[in-house]
Amino acid sequence: SALLLRGRRMEGAAAQTKAGQRPVLQEDTFEILYEMSRIMNCGLDRQTLSILISLCESGVNPEALASVIKELRRETAALSMDSQDDVDEKR
């Protein structure tokens, strides 16, 4: 599927690089997506955003992916709180 963003069309949101390398987003389009992510306070770094885009391009349902990310963040926060409680108990 094609993505239209600020008048730029990208097939599968990817541009081919030299032979043997995986396709990557056109740099300007990726920067726009990263800036949108930053403005919406998604908490995604460039590498994570790139992975998520690749997963969506591969057919992963974006809503399911978002649910997984939310759950991973909840679990990470819970583990961090448990770790901090353990540290506090040792004091």
Side-chain angles (χ1 to χ4, degrees):
S1 68
L3 174 66
L4 183 62
L5 188 59
R6 281 201 184 175
R8 295 181 178 96
R9 181 186 168 110
M10 298 185 336
E11 293 299 324
Q16 291 292 334
T17 59
K18 297 187 191 297
Q21 294 179 346
R22 73 181 194 105
V24 295
L25 280 177
Q26 291 180 358
E27 189 63 29
D28 59 339
T29 304
F30 180 81
E31 290 304 318
I32 291 167
L33 292 172
Y34 177 71
E35 185 65 17
M36 289 170 59
S37 169
R38 195 184 65 71
I39 289 169
M40 293 187 287
N41 296 318
C42 294
L44 302 173
D45 60 30
R46 291 173 189 274
Q47 181 180 10
T48 303
L49 180 60
S50 177
I51 292 167
L52 295 174
I53 291 168
S54 294
L55 287 169
C56 289
E57 289 174 343
S58 297
V60 174
N61 180 321
E63 290 179 21
L65 190 55
S67 294
V68 169
I69 291 168
K70 288 177 185 177
E71 183 61 27
L72 288 171
R73 286 181 174 173
R74 277 192 290 271
E75 290 294 323
T76 301
L79 288 172
S80 294
M81 292 174 77
D82 287 345
S83 295
Q84 185 60 41
D85 289 345
D86 290 344
V87 169
D88 290 342
E89 287 176 6
K90 290 180 181 179
R91 289 183 185 176

